[in-house]
């Protein structure tokens, strides 16, 4: 497995091997799926759209719909305006969404297609009461997380309005997380009796039930009227700097909604901060139900501590979730030895560096814009006890025989993960269980018969 | 059936209606094979299943060559999505390289778009050399590369000189052509120009063959090779499942080319015949009858009593080993109906396999096949390249005087053609379709959904993007690209694995639970009786 990866480190400047990121449009497609009755549209050649639908489908094991401008060589030279106009006409007459959310690719960005102009020229093709919005998502900038962020920004920029009638709600931009996580965050808000608007919300869109009927536009997704109304909210909580800050800033600029960026509420400290902040902003008390969950998590952390203490962990994935996860790993008494994201951005290194310093952890490597080839090389030089990351980590886990926890996006080789949260105290409890199981399964596997324990 | 088709098309806007109706035909045995429109541009916004030229070139044909470093020149996505997602299995040969688990990219950034990416590409090649010292490297272009004018051919030529290994450049920008198909053609041209014919190996066996257009999805190539080797054939090269560059360089040493996937590799088959005199035969290793027919065709071409005898022995052995299972599987699947919608070849091949188990294909189609794949190669002279495809190079090859061999004399070739109609020919999908079957080119989501509602097939064979939408409609859906992570499906053993997978899909108890009991049973208090598990 991965036999061609040498132990000797080698600094690369140009060759990316086994990336820990993918490109913008898939993030924008995911964000657009979190809007009710919205069809994502990829303005580029159709290969991108098929690939992005493919990867999301493989992660969620659910239908992922999107249309494309299907560029040909001609449109690549002369611009894709007529392709998009034809697409808008076809999509509204055949597939009847309430909104088309257009994103771009490296092709239309390199050409310099002016989407705002093209969309305004296509106005006559847009039925009454329907919308076409767009976000520029050049694949050669940032990562899928950047694309997600750009689409949220696009949605609020196009739609949100401050009409002067306060709605008494708070906006929650949950970041690039799974529908299971969005459900959990909504549950917390409901338990705390806080009225809110969440954007996007992919629950009930990419985790739909089997009923014998295919719904092209499932029940879920943020309603367009709520995105408009987000301009009238009291406050915006942007969860995850990389995936949510831009949307919140745009909303503040356009509609004067005050905002705050927080870490994704994953692990005990980030959830504590999230709950505390919710209580502060709204003046609502934290109900016992939440305290009980927290208490159960702490109980679990104490019960299981001996399996975690001092263990070295390699973790990779998307910056917002990895930052929170790293903090949680420290809270469990483990050592985040290698922390990698493929998404570029120095604030990743900085924030994690501060956490490590605060915990007195030295000799860890933290890297943004890194990749799995280098991570594997580090592991070859100084091994770890646990690997946490998306499905592509399974190759390293097998090659180096490391216990492995699947976390983040994409998970292509397991079922049901997207039904369950990793956010909130509930999600933290699940993470502890997953991590403990991986470590304890390994202890069982490796134990001599005479050391094989009944009770652990 | 024609009325049903008209009804489905009604919803389209006028222009879309006009275009789409040419891509749909109903097979009518009382007429000649009707003309179908294919290999034309995709209608924007139609929700196609098609991919791009890059996917056809790097993803399909070039990528499976295991001992090369395949560098994708572009932003990260293209390389990422082709990383491990097509199940072209490969195993390192003794002491040789295998890079199939890796994903290589120049990960172009904004500055590369603005100032050009050639420098970064050069550096990436240097780093690949330092790290891996591979036998050969490929460079695949993606959408922006052509637009910004990076000359990947010049970079490749330079690198060849500098490092003394082969560096192949593929100008397979995603917007070229109208689908994956353009990418196949581009890959084929490069192999003919720069790879095939460069090998110096000697082969002492007499039945040397190449397996063309077989990508070892789920181990198909290995099952086919197992059968061929058992008979006594020597496989010189497979293009390109589990392929190695050195084997492909020696492909001109074989004396017969087997074409499994006609669409992706027919260019090479034709050009090898012109250049080296090696005949090709359309084969089909999907399905028991098809595999037997193929093996017999091959024996007829070689016309060697020893080979013919061995062929029949192997067929008898293989069939005997699975006969019992076949009977059982057929009993459970017989009478069911299927839709088949796959890329450019399987929609035809699998009809035979399904028929073995008594399953009838009522609707079939290709994403990106050309008219010859539908109507047979006889129509090739009547196909005019349109504006979208005319920039794909039509390579003209000449006879290679040094290496050209007459393997079948003209006279014998003509005689053989009567016995083996698939010698140098392919009859296409439509001919083998049953009367009243619907054949659709570039089937889109709307048509998929609507035809399922109208025709209610028992099973739908397609790809990942369709799978769950179809399953949600209550129809068993299996992927015929990835085989739903199973396989092999080729050859004798594959046929059984396939049928067992279909059986599992049709008979899994999960289907019984789709409707909750409170939706069918009376809920008025006091009237419910325990019925137990009735089914």
């Amino acid at each position: 497995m991965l036999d061609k990866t040498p132990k000797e480190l080698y600094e690369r400047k140009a060759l990316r091997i086994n990336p820990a990121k993918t490109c913008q449009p898939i993030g924008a497609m995911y964000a657009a799926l979190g809007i009710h009755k919205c069809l994502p549209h990829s303005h580029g050649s159709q290969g991108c759209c098929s690939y992005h639908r493919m990867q999301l489908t493989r992660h969620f094991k659910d239908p992922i719909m999107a249309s494309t401008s299907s560029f040909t060589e001609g449109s690549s030279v002369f611009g894709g305006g007529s392709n998009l106009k034809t697409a808008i006409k076809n999509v509204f007459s055949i597939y009847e969404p309430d909104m088309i959310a257009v994103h771009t690719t490296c092709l239309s960005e390199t050409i310099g297609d002016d989407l705002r102009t093209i969309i305004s020229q296509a106005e006559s093709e847009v039925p009454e009461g329907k919308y076409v919005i767009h976000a520029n998502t050049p694949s050669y900038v940032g990562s899928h997380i950047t694309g997600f962020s750009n689409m949220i920004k696009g949605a609020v920029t196009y739609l949100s309005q401050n009409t002067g009638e306060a709605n008494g709600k708070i906006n929650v931009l949950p970041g690039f997380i799974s529908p299971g996580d969005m459900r959990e965050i909504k549950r917390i808000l409901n338990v705390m009796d806080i009225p809110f608007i969440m954007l996007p919300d992919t629950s009930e869109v990419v985790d739909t039930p089997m009923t014998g009927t295919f719904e092209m536009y499932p029940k879920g997704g943020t309603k367009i009227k709520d995105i408009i109304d987000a301009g009238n909210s009291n406050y915006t909580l942007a969860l995850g700097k990389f995936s949510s800050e831009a949307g919140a800033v745009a909303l503040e600029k356009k509609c004067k909604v005050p905002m705050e960026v927080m870490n994704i509420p994953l692990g005990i400290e980030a959830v504590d901060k999230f709950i505390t902040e919710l209580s502060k902003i709204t003046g609502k008390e934290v109900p016992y139900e939440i305290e009980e969950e927290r208490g159960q998590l702490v109980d679990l952390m104490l019960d299981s501590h001996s399996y975690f203490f001092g263990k070295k962990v390699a973790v990779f994935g998307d910056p917002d979730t990895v930052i929170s996860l790293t903090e949680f790993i420290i809270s469990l008494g483990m050592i985040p030895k290698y922390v990698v994201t493929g998404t570029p951005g120095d604030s990743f290194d900085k924030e994690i560096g501060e956490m490590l310093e605060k915990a007195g952890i030295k000799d860890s490597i933290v890297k943004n814009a890194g990749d799995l080839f280098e991570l594997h090389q580090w592991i070859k030089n100084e091994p770890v006890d646990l690997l946490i990351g998306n499905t592509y980590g399974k190759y390293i886990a097998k090659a180096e025989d490391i216990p492995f926890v699947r976390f983040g996006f994409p998970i292509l080789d397991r079922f049901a993960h997207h039904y369950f949260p990793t956010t909130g105290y509930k999600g933290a409890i699940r993470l502890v269980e997953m991590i403990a199981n991986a470590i304890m399964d390994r202890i069982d596997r490796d134990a001599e018969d005479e050391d094989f324990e009944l009770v652990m | 059936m024609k009325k049903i088709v008209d009804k489905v098309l009604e919803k389209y806007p006028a222009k879309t209606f006009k275009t789409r109706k040419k891509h749909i035909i109903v097979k009518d045995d009382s007429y000649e094979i009707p003309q179908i429109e294919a290999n034309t541009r995709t209608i924007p916004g139609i929700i196609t299943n098609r991919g791009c030229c890059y996917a056809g070139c790097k993803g399909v044909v070039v990528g499976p060559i295991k001992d090369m470093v395949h560098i994708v020149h572009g932003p990260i996505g293209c390389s990422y999505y082709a990383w491990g997602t097509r199940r072209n299995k490969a195993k390192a040969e003794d002491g040789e390289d295998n890079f199939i688990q890796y994903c290589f990219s120049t990960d172009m950034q904004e500055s590369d778009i603005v100032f050009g990416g050639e420098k970064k590409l050069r550096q990436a090649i240097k780093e690949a050399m330092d790290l891996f010292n591979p036998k050969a490297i490929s460079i695949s272009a993606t959408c922006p590369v052509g637009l910004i004018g990076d000359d990947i051919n010049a970079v490749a030529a330079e690198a060849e000189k500098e490092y003394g290994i082969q560096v192949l450049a593929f100008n397979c920008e995603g917007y070229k052509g109208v689908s994956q198909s353009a990418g196949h053609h581009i890959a084929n041209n490069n192999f003919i120009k720069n790879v095939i014919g460069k090998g110096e190996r000697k082969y002492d066996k007499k039945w040397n063959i190449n397996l063309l257009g077989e990508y070892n999805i789920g181990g198909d190539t290995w099952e086919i090779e197992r059968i061929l080797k058992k008979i006594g054939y020597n496989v010189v090269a497979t293009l390109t499942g589990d392929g190695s560059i050195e084997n492909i360089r020696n492909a001109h040493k074989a004396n017969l080319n087997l074409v499994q996937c006609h669409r992706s590799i027919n260019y090479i088959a034709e050009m090898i015949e012109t250049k080296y005199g090696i005949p090709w035969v359309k084969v089909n290793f999907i399905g028991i009858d098809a595999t037997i027919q193929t093996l017999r065709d091959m024996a007829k071409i070689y016309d060697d009593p020893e080979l013919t005898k061995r062929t029949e022995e192997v067929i008898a052995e293989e069939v005997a080993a699975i006969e019992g299972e076949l009977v059982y599987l057929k009993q459970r699947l017989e009478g069911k109906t299927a839709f088949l919608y796959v890329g450019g070849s399987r929609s035809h091949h699998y009809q035979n396999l399904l028929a073995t188990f008594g399953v009838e294909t009522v609707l079939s189609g290709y994403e990106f096949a050309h008219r010859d794949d539908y109507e047979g190669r006889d129509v090739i002279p009547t196909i005019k390249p349109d504006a979208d495809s005319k920039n794909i190079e039509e390579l003209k090859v000449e006879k290679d005087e040094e290496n050209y061999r007459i393997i079948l004399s003209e006279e014998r070739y003509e005689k053989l053609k009567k016995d083996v109609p698939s010698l140098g020919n392919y009859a296409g999908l439509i001919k083998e379709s049953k009367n009243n079957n619907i054949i659709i080119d570039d089937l889109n989501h709307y048509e998929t959904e609507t035809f399922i509602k109208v025709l209610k097939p028992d099973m739908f064979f397609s790809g990942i993007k369709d799978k769950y939408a179809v399953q949600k409609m209550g129809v068993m859906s299996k992927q015929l690209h990835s085989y739903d992570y199973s396989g092999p499906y080729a050859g004798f053993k594959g046929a059984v694995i396939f049928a067992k997978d279909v059986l599992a899909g049709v008979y899994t108890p999960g289907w019984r639970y789709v409707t909750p009991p409170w939706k069918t049973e009376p809920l008025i208090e006091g009237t419910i009786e325990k019925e137990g598990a009735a089914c």
Side-chain angles (χ1 to χ4, degrees):
Chain A
M1 187 55 62
L2 298 175
D3 294 335
K4 302 303 296 179
T5 306
K7 189 177 172 190
E8 303 77 57
L9 297 174
Y10 175 99
E11 201 196 334
R12 282 169 288 131
K13 292 198 218 72
L15 186 64
R16 173 70 66 208
I17 314 174
N18 299 355
K21 66 168 178 185
T22 181
C23 64
Q24 284 208 36
I26 194 172
M29 187 181 282
Y30 181 56
L33 287 166
I35 299 172
H36 183 61
K37 284 205 82 176
C38 173
L39 188 71
H41 180 88
S42 170
H43 186 55
S45 62
Q46 67 214 7
C48 311
C49 185
S50 276
Y51 273 143
H52 299 142
R53 291 179 63 202
M54 166 199 89
Q55 198 76 330
L56 288 166
T57 306
R58 285 180 170 161
H59 177 78
F60 293 112
K61 320 283 186 211
D62 227 28
I64 300 294
M65 305 309 296
S67 56
T68 162
S69 294
S70 294
F71 274 53
T72 57
E73 191 153 11
S75 26
S76 305
V77 177
F78 303 112
S82 68
N83 291 59
L84 184 54
K85 288 174 210 163
T86 309
I88 288 171
K89 187 185 172 84
N90 277 322
V91 166
F92 278 124
S93 39
I94 303 164
Y95 295 111
E96 302 169 21
D98 284 350
M99 184 164 97
I100 300 174
V102 184
H103 62 260
T104 56
T105 68
C106 47
L107 176 55
S108 49
E109 286 294 328
T110 305
I111 297 169
D113 267 358
D114 176 1
L115 288 209
R116 220 168 244 284
T117 306
I118 300 169
I119 289 168
S120 67
Q121 286 165 352
E123 219 163 289
S124 61
E125 305 293 353
V126 184
E128 187 70 25
K130 307 245 172 173
Y131 297 84
V132 180
I133 67 167
H134 96 274
N136 292 93
T137 52
S139 321
Y140 44 77
V141 177
S143 74
H144 56 297
I145 298 299
T146 324
F148 178 90
S149 163
N150 283 338
M151 183 48 83
I152 301 305
K153 185 180 159 191
V156 300
T157 308
Y158 264 90
L159 300 169
S160 299
Q161 297 286 342
N162 185 337
T163 58
E165 289 167 65
N167 61 21
K169 294 179 181 175
I170 66 160
N171 299 324
V172 178
L173 309 182
F176 192 98
I177 53 174
S178 80
D181 287 317
M182 294 178 190
R183 281 176 194 265
E184 174 61 12
I185 291 172
K186 287 195 289 186
R187 188 189 64 88
I188 291 171
L189 292 161
N190 286 327
V191 169
M192 289 189 66
D193 194 27
I194 297 170
F196 65 91
I197 294 169
M198 181 183 275
L199 172 72
D201 181 0
T202 58
S203 64
E204 296 186 80
V205 181
V206 296
D207 58 355
T208 57
M210 173 68 187
T211 60
T213 314
F214 167 70
E215 301 287 349
M216 175 116 181
Y217 307 105
K219 261 199 258 163
T222 313
K223 302 271 188 319
I224 293 171
K225 68 171 174 44
D226 286 334
I227 305 177
I228 297 170
D229 192 36
N232 295 319
S233 297
N234 295 336
Y235 209 83
T236 303
L237 273 183
L239 306 182
K241 183 180 167 60
F242 286 82
S243 41
S244 300
E245 186 176 30
V249 169
L251 199 53
E252 186 175 44
K253 261 192 197 157
K254 190 181 176 196
C255 302
K256 310 282 176 293
V257 182
M259 56 150 301
E260 183 180 354
V261 183
M262 302 192 71
N263 283 348
I264 289 190
L266 181 151
I268 188 153
E269 292 200 26
V271 181
D272 281 352
K273 277 178 215 147
F274 178 63
I275 303 282
T276 311
E277 198 57 28
L278 283 177
S279 175
K280 265 193 215 159
I281 296 168
T282 59
K284 302 263 182 180
E285 289 212 12
V286 180
Y288 175 70
E289 190 178 334
I290 303 264
E291 273 179 24
E292 184 186 48
E293 287 164 16
R294 187 180 186 282
Q296 286 174 329
L297 168 63
V298 177
D299 196 59
L300 177 63
M301 288 166 70
L302 290 167
D303 291 348
S304 58
H305 74 274
S306 62
Y307 293 94
F308 301 141
F309 197 77
K311 293 277 192 297
K312 289 181 196 156
V313 187
V315 49
F316 70 91
D318 299 331
D320 293 331
T321 43
V322 167
I323 287 170
S324 298
L325 182 62
T326 304
E327 190 176 53
F328 191 42
I329 288 166
I330 296 170
S331 312
L332 291 171
M334 299 196 285
I335 300 163
K337 178 73 189 165
Y338 309 119
V339 186
V340 175
T341 184
T343 300
D346 291 339
S347 67
F348 177 81
D349 296 15
K350 189 166 164 277
E351 190 160 345
I352 289 173
E354 282 164 8
M355 275 177 205
L356 293 169
E357 203 181 305
K358 199 175 121 202
I361 297 168
K362 292 189 177 70
D363 306 323
S364 288
I365 305 179
V366 182
K367 189 167 183 177
N368 75 81
D371 63 34
L372 301 190
F373 186 79
E374 192 175 26
L375 174 64
H376 188 185
Q377 289 194 307
W378 295 335
I379 291 171
K380 278 180 180 289
N381 283 278
E382 196 181 336
V384 291
D385 303 300
L386 181 70
L387 176 67
I388 306 181
N390 69 28
T391 283
Y392 289 100
K394 78 191 277 183
Y395 294 87
I396 299 175
K398 185 169 162 78
E400 304 303 326
D401 199 21
I402 312 168
F404 178 43
V405 171
R406 284 168 179 79
F407 172 86
F409 175 83
I411 296 172
L412 308 170
D413 62 334
R414 290 295 184 270
F415 295 104
H417 51 85
H418 62 304
Y419 290 157
F420 303 107
T422 56
T423 49
Y425 299 121
K426 286 269 191 205
I429 287 172
R430 178 168 168 252
L431 275 171
V432 174
E433 188 193 9
M434 289 198 300
I435 294 171
N437 284 352
I439 291 171
M440 294 165 92
D441 279 348
R442 179 56 52 92
I443 293 169
D444 279 344
R445 192 199 79 179
D446 292 348
E448 298 294 336
D449 285 1
E450 60 275 25
D451 298 324
F452 193 63
E453 296 290 342
L454 175 71
V455 183
M456 292 170 85
Chain B
M1 217 45 114
K2 281 227 167 66
K3 270 187 203 142
I4 290 172
V5 171
D6 291 342
K7 185 99 189 115
V8 171
L9 294 178
E10 252 173 30
K11 189 170 186 179
Y12 286 137
K15 213 174 142 194
T16 304
F17 171 83
K18 231 178 113 190
T19 312
R20 281 305 298 157
K21 74 170 190 208
K22 295 183 211 150
H23 294 259
I24 306 181
I25 62 161
V26 178
K27 172 84 182 279
D28 188 333
D29 282 345
S30 57
Y31 293 96
E32 278 179 41
I33 291 174
Q35 183 174 326
I36 189 163
E37 188 126 300
N39 190 35
T40 56
R41 65 171 63 173
T42 314
I43 299 172
I46 201 81
I47 310 196
T48 179
N49 266 319
R50 281 175 167 181
C52 65
C53 179
Y54 158 83
C57 181
K58 195 274 175 184
V60 173
V61 184
V62 180
I65 303 173
K66 61 191 170 187
D67 50 0
M68 291 176 72
V69 166
H70 301 293
I71 300 176
V72 178
H73 188 38
I76 201 65
C78 308
S79 188
Y80 189 85
Y81 302 116
W83 179 18
T85 47
R86 234 177 151 259
R87 301 177 58 236
N88 40 255
K89 294 193 175 204
K91 197 167 184 297
E93 282 162 38
D94 273 348
E96 301 288 343
D97 296 337
N98 182 3
F99 294 103
I100 230 79
Q101 292 141 9
Y102 292 89
C103 165
F104 304 99
S105 168
T106 54
D107 191 7
M108 288 175 96
Q109 300 296 305
E110 194 150 27
S111 58
D112 304 312
I113 302 293
V114 176
F115 302 111
E118 287 179 20
K119 199 174 144 208
K120 195 173 193 185
L121 177 58
R122 254 180 235 121
Q123 176 67 18
I125 294 169
K126 180 190 179 295
E127 291 173 5
M129 290 307 301
D130 287 352
L131 272 165
F132 308 114
N133 196 24
K135 276 185 188 159
I137 289 176
S138 79
I139 303 165
S140 294
T142 60
C143 286
V145 170
L147 300 172
I148 63 173
D150 273 2
D151 188 348
I152 62 168
N153 297 290
V155 175
E158 217 176 88
E160 279 202 354
K161 223 183 238 168
E162 188 167 352
Y163 303 111
I165 62 153
Q166 186 154 43
V167 181
L168 297 168
F170 296 89
N171 293 100
C172 54
E173 285 85 349
Y175 54 75
K176 287 194 172 159
V178 298
S179 68
Q180 290 94 312
S181 179
H184 304 149
H185 199 161
I186 288 164
N188 276 232
N189 287 349
N190 204 338
F191 284 140
I192 280 290
K193 273 197 250 184
N194 298 309
V195 183
I196 295 166
K198 308 287 182 199
E200 299 290 339
R201 276 193 197 145
K202 299 263 182 287
Y203 295 88
D204 48 13
K205 296 216 171 101
K206 46 182 175 175
W207 306 315
N208 294 315
I209 52 136
N210 295 319
L211 189 49
L212 304 185
E214 168 48 56
Y215 303 100
N216 202 26
I217 306 298
D220 277 353
T221 305
W222 293 329
E223 166 64 2
I224 295 168
E225 284 180 357
R226 179 188 70 81
I227 299 164
L228 293 175
K229 281 177 188 163
K230 195 169 165 188
I231 294 172
Y233 290 103
N234 174 45
V235 180
V236 174
T238 302
L239 274 79
T240 52
D242 194 30
S244 96
I245 187 76
E246 196 53 37
N247 292 348
I248 299 173
R249 285 181 182 134
N250 285 287
H252 63 301
K253 302 286 177 67
N255 36 38
L256 181 65
N257 277 326
L258 314 184
V259 173
Q260 174 68 26
C261 169
H262 176 260
R263 183 67 266 137
S264 68
I265 216 79
N266 78 91
Y267 315 97
I268 280 180
E270 282 269 288
M271 291 190 274
I272 287 184
E273 186 162 23
T274 312
K275 203 168 170 182
Y276 303 106
I278 305 169
W280 65 270
V281 57
K282 177 72 184 74
V283 297
N284 182 11
F285 288 102
I286 302 297
I288 314 278
D289 300 344
T291 302
I292 292 171
Q293 177 72 45
T294 289
L295 296 174
R296 286 182 178 150
D297 282 353
M298 291 169 66
K300 278 181 200 158
I301 293 167
Y302 279 104
D303 194 25
D304 179 330
E306 187 192 339
L307 182 69
T308 308
K309 181 168 162 273
R310 191 65 199 130
T311 298
E312 292 306 325
E313 282 167 4
V314 169
I315 290 171
E317 271 170 38
E318 292 287 330
V319 171
I322 56 174
E323 228 159 14
E325 278 180 304
L326 292 182
V327 172
Y328 166 77
L329 291 163
K330 189 173 178 183
Q331 269 171 5
R332 310 234 33 208
L333 294 171
E334 187 142 43
K336 300 199 179 295
T337 58
F339 281 13
L340 271 174
Y341 181 57
V342 208
S345 105
R346 291 189 178 104
S347 296
H348 180 190
H349 294 148
Y350 277 80
Q351 297 204 17
N352 181 286
L353 178 49
L354 285 166
T356 303
F357 300 101
V359 178
E360 193 199 340
T361 305
V362 292
L363 182 149
S364 58
Y366 292 127
E367 279 175 43
F368 50 75
H370 300 194
R371 278 183 57 206
D372 41 321
D373 304 293
Y374 288 103
E375 300 170 51
R377 284 184 69 92
D378 295 344
V379 303
I380 288 178
T382 69
I383 301 176
K384 293 181 203 83
D386 68 4
D388 295 318
S389 297
K390 69 169 192 294
N391 287 343
I392 311 300
E393 185 188 12
E394 276 294 339
L395 200 59
K396 289 271 173 286
V397 295
E398 313 253 300
K399 199 186 262 192
D400 177 333
E401 296 297 348
E402 199 183 322
N403 291 303
Y404 191 91
R405 294 168 289 153
I406 294 171
I407 290 159
L408 296 175
S409 69
E410 220 170 290
E411 186 190 353
R412 201 166 118 60
Y413 192 95
E414 286 311 313
K415 222 177 119 207
L416 256 177
K417 268 190 82 76
K418 292 195 185 79
D419 244 7
V420 183
S422 55
L423 180 64
N425 197 19
Y426 175 45
L429 160 79
I430 298 174
K431 195 170 173 216
E432 278 191 27
S433 300
K434 286 205 171 152
N435 192 40
N436 224 21
N437 282 0
I438 300 177
I439 291 131
I440 307 191
D441 176 65
D442 190 16
L443 179 75
N444 57 53
H445 174 77
Y446 163 72
E447 289 162 13
T448 298
E449 204 184 320
T450 317
F451 278 111
I452 285 177
K453 280 181 189 156
V454 178
L455 298 175
K456 299 187 173 60
D458 296 300
M459 50 191 89
F460 185 96
F461 297 93
S462 166
I464 186 67
K465 298 190 294 294
D466 286 332
K467 180 182 171 80
Y468 297 101
V470 172
Q471 185 178 297
K472 288 273 198 270
M473 296 176 80
V475 177
M476 195 284 273
S477 175
K478 283 214 83 63
Q479 299 179 62
L480 276 190
H481 298 268
S482 73
Y483 303 167
D484 279 331
Y485 328 108
S486 175
Y489 284 171
F492 297 106
K493 290 187 178 169
V496 173
I497 295 171
F498 171 78
K500 282 183 177 170
D501 287 350
V502 172
L503 195 80
V506 172
Y507 287 100
T508 182
W511 294 114
R512 286 185 221 151
Y513 302 101
V514 174
T515 309
W518 53 88
K519 293 258 166 97
T520 50
E521 286 174 32
L523 277 181
I524 303 159
E525 216 172 339
T527 61
I528 299 179
E529 283 179 36
K530 281 239 163 74
E531 289 185 13
C535 57

